[in-house]
């Protein structure tokens, strides 16, 4: 089966266009007042007609391959967009084009829901030799040691998800070389270690499969798995489970203060 996967997105920051009112001479944009005289309005009485003068804004464009910045350029508002000269690649997929990336979502705004446990636990581990999608509400469980089932097609290695009645959170797991304090934000160092860290990366408010990127995500320490191999096998599972079922750990990942 041919898989088409839209891996990348274009993020646009937009500024409201500025404008200038003008006759002869121009009246500067943003000026609080201008002289009401013949030098400005070309008349000493009656009606003077003013016409808006517009200057198009330049918009900064960032192009992403998944969560990684792929390219940058600019466009002029109402003008054309120049696509990156090269296309992103992903093994097993054909590049299908670009779409506008969703606005960032602040998970801390879910503070009033932080005590609600989830009902979906899902993940793909680091080596893609263990994938699970379990739905407590329906009793459906898909577990695989090959991760080839279609339900896992858009999961990256070491990706986890936790589903709640209000939305689904997805994130990353990493096996670092350093420990931290449990359920506390910190900085993992390196990869291939035995210390499991978790970070939220996306939020789907409608449980529709369309994720907005998370603003200001933090890495949160989970635990010492005991060995690098064990961490690679189960860290993503641990992240999904702790975020789904533990309000303290969930608070740290969501950036919600417990004070």
């Amino acid at each position: 089966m041919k898989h088409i996967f839209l891996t990348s997105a274009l993020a646009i920051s937009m500024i409201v266009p500025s404008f200038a009112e003008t006759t002869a001479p121009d009246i500067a944009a943003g000026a609080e007042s201008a002289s009401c005289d013949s030098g400005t309005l070309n008349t000493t009485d009656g009606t003077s007609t003013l016409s808006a003068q517009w200057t198009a804004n330049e918009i900064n464009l960032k192009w992403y391959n998944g969560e990684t910045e792929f390219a940058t350029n600019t466009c002029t508002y109402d003008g054309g967009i120049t696509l990156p000269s090269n296309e992103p690649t992903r093994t097993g997929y054909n590049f299908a084009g670009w779409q506008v990336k969703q606005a960032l979502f602040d998970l801390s705004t879910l503070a009033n829901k932080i005590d609600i446990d989830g009902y979906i636990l899902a993940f793909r581990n680091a080596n893609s030799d263990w994938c699970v999608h379990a739905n407590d509400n329906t009793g459906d469980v898909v577990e695989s040691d090959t991760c080839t089932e279609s339900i896992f097609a858009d999961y990256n290695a070491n990706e986890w998800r936790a589903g709640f009645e209000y939305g689904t959170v997805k994130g990353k797991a990493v096996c670092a070389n350093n420990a931290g304090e449990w359920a506390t934000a910190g900085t993992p160092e390196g990869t291939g270690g035995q210390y499991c860290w978790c970070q939220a990366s996306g939020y789907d408010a409608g449980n529709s499969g369309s994720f907005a990127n998370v603003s200001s995500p933090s890495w949160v320490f989970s635990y010492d798995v005991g060995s690098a191999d064990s961490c690679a096998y189960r860290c993503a599972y641990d992240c999904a489970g702790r975020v789904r079922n533990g309000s303290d750990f969930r608070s740290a990942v969501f950036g919600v203060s417990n004070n």
Side-chain angles (χ1 to χ4, degrees), residues 4 11-12 29 44 64 66 76 97 132 144 147 149 152-153 165 182 190 193 214 221 243 252:
I4 303 296
I12 299 178
T44 57
Y64 281 84
T76 301
V132 171
S144 171
C147 300
E149 289 77 3
F152 304 117
E165 63 183 29
W182 183 81
V214 171
F221 180 64
V243 170

Side-chain angles (χ1 to χ4, degrees), residues 16-33:
V16 177
S18 61
F19 65 92
E21 297 179 358
T22 181
T23 57
D26 293 348
I27 300 173
E32 294 182 2
S33 64

Side-chain angles (χ1 to χ4, degrees), residues 86-219:
N86 55 329
E87 295 180 348
T89 59
R90 182 178 180 182
T91 302
Y93 295 87
N94 293 324
F95 177 67
W98 300 92
Q99 69 178 11
V100 176
K101 202 174 183 74
Q102 290 186 347
L104 299 179
F105 185 84
D106 182 358
L107 285 175
S108 68
T109 60
L110 301 175
N112 63 334
K113 304 179 185 297
I114 208 68
D115 291 329
I116 302 174
D117 284 346
Y119 60 89
I120 290 176
L121 176 149
F123 63 89
R124 177 194 287 260
N125 74 351
N127 300 321
S128 295
D129 57 4
W130 187 28
C131 286
V132 171
H133 187 282
N135 187 331
D136 292 347
N137 282 357
T138 63
D140 293 336
V141 177
V142 179
E143 184 170 5
S144 171
D145 58 4
T146 62
C147 300
T148 55
E149 289 77 3
S150 59
I151 196 169
F152 304 117
D154 65 339
Y155 284 54
N156 295 313
N158 254 347
E159 180 177 304
W160 55 266
R161 300 185 186 185
F164 303 85
E165 63 183 29
Y166 53 83
T168 299
V169 178
K170 73 174 180 177
K172 310 171 187 177
V174 67
C175 293
N177 298 319
N178 64 308
E181 183 179 349
W182 183 81
T184 301
T187 304
E189 299 173 359
T191 58
Q194 66 189 53
Y195 302 100
C196 179
W197 293 74
C198 312
Q199 182 190 72
S201 62
Y203 178 64
D204 173 12
N207 288 322
S208 64
S210 179
F211 287 88
N213 283 352
V214 171
S215 62
S216 304
S218 296
W219 284 105

